Amino acid sequence: MGKSQSKLTPDELATLQKNTYFDKKELQQWFIITMSFISHFSQSHLRYKGFRKDCPSGHLNKEEFGLIYKQFFPFGEPGDFADYVFNVFDNDKSGTIDFTEFICALSITSRGRLEEKLKWAFQLYDIDRDGTITYDEMFQIVQSIYKMTGEMVKLPPDEDTPEKARSDPGCFSLQLTIISSAWTRSSGVWTEIRMRN
């Protein structure tokens, strides 16, 4: 994620300050934390011993990103959800995430305006990138969350699998309520409505 140097250049800092909600100091701190994590990650996983040699720029591919998610959700199967998140983070569709892509996504999800967060969430749920969210896409994301959390979250028996929840049309009420504040449902799909300033 980013360059192999120990800190961001003045040009990189200026660009990131312009494109995120982080200040100079925060960006430098995130850069150091991120590069330290990648360095630790590459050293602690024998399978990826050559990561620093093979990826000196600090880019993460989808498989490596998934392994990081696995560290945070060791009792579940986070692979599918990590893939969906990776696809949104990988803004240039290069197949890797660099520091700029990571910090821009983090900026939106943690400090962005409501419209930016909704657009980011829409991109996550719009798996096939056709500008709509179908019920099946919504189900796939929810299913991946169930798989990721595994036994970490104890749900009532009538909601403990996505299949049970799917049989109840109101099961996605929270997700749909969030999305419906910026998108409208028509013909079984959710379609983005452009926000007016």
Side-chain angles (χ1 to χ4, degrees), residues 135-178:
Y135 187 84
D136 286 336
E137 287 172 316
M138 180 75 71
F139 180 74
Q140 287 176 47
I141 295 292
V142 171
Q143 187 175 41
S144 71
I145 292 169
Y146 274 81
K147 285 171 56 179
M148 177 175 63
T149 58
E151 298 296 316
M152 291 173 54
V153 178
K154 193 70 175 157
L155 296 170
D158 62 332
E159 298 176 11
D160 64 359
T161 69
E163 290 76 19
K164 288 179 185 175
R166 187 176 196 174
S167 65
D168 174 7
C171 73
F172 298 129
S173 61
L174 174 61
Q175 291 92 345
L176 298 182
T177 300
I178 292 168

Side-chain angles (χ1 to χ4, degrees), residues 86-100:
F86 180 91
N87 291 337
V88 181
F89 273 49
D90 184 16
N91 199 41
D92 65 2
K93 306 303 175 215
S94 65
T96 63
I97 298 171
D98 62 20
F99 179 74
T100 299

Side-chain angles (χ1 to χ4, degrees), residues 10 20 61 63 72 119 153 162:
T20 70
N61 66 31
E63 186 176 358
F72 292 104
K119 183 176 182 180
V153 178

Side-chain angles (χ1 to χ4, degrees), residues 16-17 22-31 103:
L16 289 173
Q17 275 186 276
F22 296 114
D23 64 29
K24 242 186 232 190
K25 185 178 178 182
E26 291 170 319
L27 288 166
Q28 286 288 20
Q29 288 172 336
W30 270 113
F31 184 77
I103 202 69

Side-chain angles (χ1 to χ4, degrees), residues 4 31 54 58 74 128:
S4 57
F31 184 77
D54 297 337
D128 64 6

Side-chain angles (χ1 to χ4, degrees), residues 20-136:
T20 70
Y21 294 101
F22 296 114
D23 64 29
K24 242 186 232 190
K25 185 178 178 182
E26 291 170 319
L27 288 166
Q28 286 288 20
Q29 288 172 336
W30 270 113
F31 184 77
I32 291 166
I33 290 167
T34 304
M35 295 311 291
S36 295
F37 182 80
I38 289 174
S39 175
H40 171 75
F41 176 75
S42 65
Q43 291 171 0
S44 65
H45 284 79
L46 295 177
R47 185 170 171 202
Y48 290 97
K49 246 184 169 176
F51 177 70
R52 284 169 63 189
K53 187 180 89 183
D54 297 337
C55 305
S57 64
H59 290 71
L60 287 174
N61 66 31
K62 193 177 277 194
E63 186 176 358
E64 294 155 350
F65 189 74
L67 287 172
I68 291 170
Y69 256 78
K70 184 68 176 166
Q71 288 183 345
F72 292 104
F73 297 95
F75 303 109
E77 297 175 30
D80 291 343
F81 188 77
D83 285 353
Y84 297 136
V85 172
F86 180 91
N87 291 337
V88 181
F89 273 49
D90 184 16
N91 199 41
D92 65 2
K93 306 303 175 215
S94 65
T96 63
I97 298 171
D98 62 20
F99 179 74
T100 299
E101 290 169 317
F102 168 77
I103 202 69
C104 287
L106 182 64
S107 175
I108 289 170
T109 58
S110 66
R111 297 185 179 175
R113 295 182 321 273
L114 176 62
E115 295 84 10
E116 291 172 310
K117 289 178 180 185
L118 287 169
K119 183 176 182 180
W120 193 93
F122 190 92
Q123 291 173 335
L124 178 67
Y125 281 82
D126 183 17
I127 296 169
D128 64 6
R129 307 283 180 255
D130 68 351
T132 62
I133 299 173
T134 64
Y135 187 84
D136 286 336

